[in-house]
Amino acid sequence: MQVIKAYKSKLVFTGKFLVSMLCILFVFFEIQIKQISVNTEDLPKSFIPIIFLLISLMILNWYLESYRWKISIHSFQPFSIKEAAMDVLRGLAMNWIMPFTSGDLIARLTGKENKRLVGIAIALNRAIMLFITCVFGCYGVISFADTSSHRPFLGIFLLILTSIVFFILIRNYSLKKFQFPLLERNRVMVIIGISILRYAIFTLQFFIILKVFLPDLSNQILLSGLGWMFFFKSVIPSLFGGLGLREASAMIFFEKFVPNMSHVLFPIFLMWMINNALPSFLGALLVWKLKLKIAG
């Protein structure tokens, strides 16, 4: 028994070490392949305060995601906001070495007692976020197809209409089918509200930094491009952190409006550093504390 326990301990240690190192290596790999040049003289004097603002929004965004995760499973798996944040950050880091965001799935399932209900909670949270992304993404797609006639209120109208349909389906179908505490009306409305707020924060972050580099581009084009970019990042299956998807979709949309694509790619790279690289480093360190159960 002692030999088996020692073997398990070494295996768990090795697994955690490899996961942490691979997460960090992938982050460094992304930094190396995205060497984008930009003239520093073009940067405004307020650039440093803007970066601090974007970092503050990033912290708020991941706090909201942690809170959303906490209330999603709190009725059958009570835990603190700190534990929820550790799940979120670990999942973010592990996504770098596991395809199709399965790292996030593993991080959130590990150590939970009722994995079936936790899995349903994960699926519902992802469905709500994907739904919101697709609604605003449709606005971006329509704008891309018909750039001569932007519709400023189309996205809002689609969001309200489809949200009503989505909420009715949740209440009339999912609640009866799963009999799941997460789907209580008040709880699901809070989760939807947090999801919309998270999307708004993401959009605001990218809008601020793109406006710094593209001051002459209209707000409608910027918002349409962001809807387009988030849409393709969400609906196209991504391997290992979605390498290049956001950049590729941004180039497709903005190339007709922007002569110098570095003014688009560099801000996106900055946002990747702030929203993904920084929390991924922290998440990679937290993998060490991940409670792994190995059958034996």
Side-chain angles (χ1 to χ4, degrees):
M1 289 296 297
Q2 292 295 330
V3 174
I4 295 176
K5 287 183 179 180
Y7 174 76
K8 285 184 179 180
S9 177
K10 290 181 180 180
L11 188 59
V12 169
F13 177 85
T14 303
K16 290 180 178 181
F17 177 79
L18 290 175
V19 169
S20 296
M21 291 301 102
L22 285 173
C23 289
I24 294 173
L25 285 174
F26 264 97
V27 171
F28 274 117
F29 174 73
E30 270 286 88
I31 293 174
Q32 291 298 318
I33 67 173
K34 291 184 177 178
Q35 295 296 327
I36 302 171
S37 61
V38 66
N39 189 353
T40 56
E41 295 180 358
D42 295 337
L43 300 179
K45 295 181 180 179
S46 58
F47 185 70
I48 299 300
I50 287 174
I51 294 298
F52 278 106
L53 172 62
L54 297 177
I55 292 175
S56 300
L57 290 173
M58 177 270 290
I59 295 172
L60 174 61
N61 183 36
W62 289 116
Y63 173 82
L64 288 172
E65 173 58 20
S66 301
Y67 181 70
R68 185 178 73 148
W69 177 233
K70 176 183 181 297
I71 65 173
S72 294
I73 64 174
H74 188 73
S75 58
F76 56 88
Q77 180 82 48
F79 67 154
S80 66
I81 187 68
K82 178 181 177 181
E83 292 171 315
M86 292 176 73
D87 279 355
V88 170
L89 292 174
R90 286 168 180 155
L92 186 64
M94 292 172 68
N95 278 341
W96 286 101
I97 60 172
M98 297 180 181
F100 308 115
T101 66
S102 57
D104 178 69
L105 179 66
I106 292 171
R108 298 193 189 211
L109 283 172
T110 301
K112 304 299 188 297
E113 295 178 2
N114 195 327
K115 289 183 170 53
R116 173 182 170 272
L117 292 181
V118 173
I120 295 173
I122 294 171
L124 184 62
N125 273 277
R126 290 188 176 188
I128 291 173
M129 205 69 207
L130 178 62
F131 170 79
I132 295 170
T133 303
C134 288
V135 169
F136 284 104
C138 289
Y139 175 56
V141 172
I142 292 172
S143 298
F144 178 76
D146 185 14
T147 56
S148 62
S149 177
H150 289 284
R151 299 164 175 82
F153 300 107
L154 179 61
I156 297 175
F157 172 75
L158 288 174
L159 178 62
I160 294 173
L161 178 63
T162 48
S163 293
I164 293 173
V165 175
F166 186 62
F167 180 65
I168 291 173
L169 289 175
I170 285 179
R171 291 201 63 191
N172 295 341
Y173 175 73
S174 299
L175 186 57
K176 296 177 182 178
K177 182 177 178 63
F178 294 115
Q179 297 181 345
F180 184 48
L182 169 63
L183 300 176
E184 298 168 359
R185 182 176 62 180
N186 293 337
R187 190 184 301 272
V188 77
M189 288 304 295
V190 171
I191 292 172
I192 291 174
I194 293 174
S195 301
I196 294 174
L197 184 56
R198 287 197 66 225
Y199 187 92
I201 290 173
F202 268 129
T203 302
L204 178 61
Q205 282 181 302
F206 277 86
F207 180 83
I208 289 172
I209 194 64
L210 284 174
K211 200 64 178 177
V212 169
F213 288 88
L214 303 169
D216 297 329
L217 211 58
S218 72
N219 295 341
Q220 278 188 337
I221 293 177
L222 285 176
L223 292 174
S224 300
L226 292 174
W228 163 282
M229 188 172 66
F230 295 153
F231 172 74
F232 278 94
K233 177 62 173 63
S234 298
V235 300
I236 297 177
S238 59
L239 292 170
F240 311 119
L243 302 179
L245 273 179
R246 190 178 287 116
E247 292 82 354
S249 60
M251 291 181 68
I252 292 172
F253 186 93
F254 286 107
E255 64 179 354
K256 67 176 76 174
F257 306 108
V258 182
N260 185 356
M261 286 308 298
S262 66
H263 288 177
V264 174
L265 296 179
F266 183 71
I268 292 175
F269 170 71
L270 284 178
M271 289 313 308
W272 172 83
M273 286 289 297
I274 292 171
N275 284 339
N276 294 88
L278 290 178
S280 290
F281 271 120
L282 180 58
L285 297 176
L286 291 174
V287 168
W288 287 95
K289 295 184 179 181
L290 191 62
K291 296 178 180 179
L292 298 177
K293 293 183 179 180
I294 300 178

